[in-house]
Amino acid sequence: MSVEIVNNFNRIIDDIRQLNASTQLVAISKFQPVEKILPLLEQGHRIFGESRVEEAHEKWAFLRDIYPDVELHFIGGIQSKKIRKIVHFFDVIESVDSISTLTKIAKCAEEMQKSIRIFIQINIGNEPQKSGIALDELEGLYQQAIQNGNIKLEGFMCIPPNTTEVEPYFIKMSELKSLYQINKLSMGMSNDYMSAIRIGSDCIRVGSSLFGSRDYT
């Protein structure tokens, strides 16, 4: 299993190098056991994504003692009651999608005397079932984010509609990056990361193509 994971990792890194060597790989380790994560850590990879606070703490509290330079991204839906723990444990929050959530994150960061890095998640396909700020509400959230001293806005994140034609959504995200002059786009997952990189993604979030199927138990 570890050989397969390392081979998958090397293949994805090769894809990145061919398309845009500066693109970062966020290895989505949610629902993955420690024994699947270790091969990547041993290869020198340090950026990982998790979506559940308790699961992340269970796995990473001790792994960080061994690998203190690990960078953890929170990529899941943000529950108000979990915000303090998220701000405390994670380095980057990629799924900020409302002013109320941003305000609570900033308050916790201030109390912890911490500057927290965030991405604004945009509902780029305007899908009612998906998280993310609507495009017509983006300006207000963006202004709140850049005006708070405890918030460092890294960029925008999206999960496009589950369709074979993802490129138009990635192009729209690239246009928003230029319009707002932000640093990074987090877009592209296992099934579409190469298209995302070609269109300008700075961070891809890859899970199943790295680790194989997930254990949801």
Side-chain angles (χ1 to χ4, degrees):
M1 178 59 71
S2 63
V3 173
E4 181 181 349
I5 290 171
V6 170
N7 287 341
N8 291 341
F9 172 73
N10 287 332
R11 174 178 51 80
I12 293 167
I13 293 299
D14 284 344
D15 290 339
I16 291 171
R17 286 173 178 157
Q18 290 178 29
L19 295 169
N20 182 358
S22 65
T23 301
Q24 290 184 319
L25 168 62
V26 182
I28 303 304
S29 50
K30 65 179 184 180
F31 307 126
Q32 301 293 354
V34 169
E35 54 265 29
K36 283 190 172 184
I37 297 170
L38 281 172
L40 293 189
L41 288 166
E42 290 164 358
Q43 289 293 307
H45 190 70
R46 292 294 182 268
I47 308 176
F48 293 84
E50 295 280 348
S51 63
R52 295 182 178 180
V53 179
E54 289 78 11
E55 179 198 351
H57 194 275
E58 185 178 316
K59 291 189 293 194
W60 289 101
F62 83 92
L63 284 174
R64 276 177 152 174
D65 289 338
I66 308 167
Y67 301 97
D69 55 341
V70 159
E71 178 178 296
L72 285 183
H73 290 223
F74 186 80
I75 59 165
I78 301 173
Q79 296 176 274
S80 182
K81 63 183 179 181
K82 302 286 181 69
I83 286 176
R84 179 170 295 278
K85 290 180 179 178
I86 293 170
V87 173
H88 174 73
F89 195 69
F90 287 84
D91 303 292
V92 183
I93 305 173
E94 290 209 23
S95 46
V96 179
D97 64 358
S98 72
I99 290 176
S100 62
T101 296
L102 178 76
T103 301
K104 292 170 185 172
I105 289 171
K107 183 175 185 292
C108 290
E110 181 181 12
E111 291 171 358
M112 296 176 196
Q113 298 183 320
K114 178 178 183 178
S115 175
I116 185 74
R117 298 155 57 197
I118 73 158
F119 284 74
I120 291 175
Q121 181 174 351
I122 298 173
N123 188 345
I124 196 64
N126 195 29
E127 298 174 276
Q129 78 278 16
K130 273 189 181 171
S131 300
I133 191 83
L135 283 173
D136 59 0
E137 298 175 1
L138 175 58
E139 176 69 23
L141 181 55
Y142 168 81
Q143 291 295 336
Q144 289 286 327
I146 63 172
Q147 291 170 20
N148 192 292
N150 293 96
I151 297 292
K152 185 179 188 304
L153 179 61
E154 295 261 299
F156 295 155
M157 182 268 260
C158 79
I159 302 172
N162 186 19
T163 171
T164 54
E165 297 294 328
V166 294
E167 287 84 358
Y169 300 102
F170 292 156
I171 290 169
K172 180 61 178 177
M173 289 292 293
S174 182
E175 291 169 352
L176 290 170
K177 179 183 180 182
S178 297
L179 178 64
Y180 284 91
Q181 297 185 321
I182 57 162
N183 291 328
K184 294 181 179 180
L185 288 179
S186 174
M187 62 185 193
M189 297 183 286
S190 288
N191 60 338
D192 57 20
Y193 70 84
M194 293 185 72
S195 292
I197 296 172
R198 288 189 187 100
I199 293 169
S201 180
D202 303 281
C203 306
I204 58 172
R205 309 180 308 274
V206 180
S208 57
S209 289
L210 266 177
F211 297 108
S213 59
R214 293 170 180 153
D215 180 2
Y216 290 91
T217 59

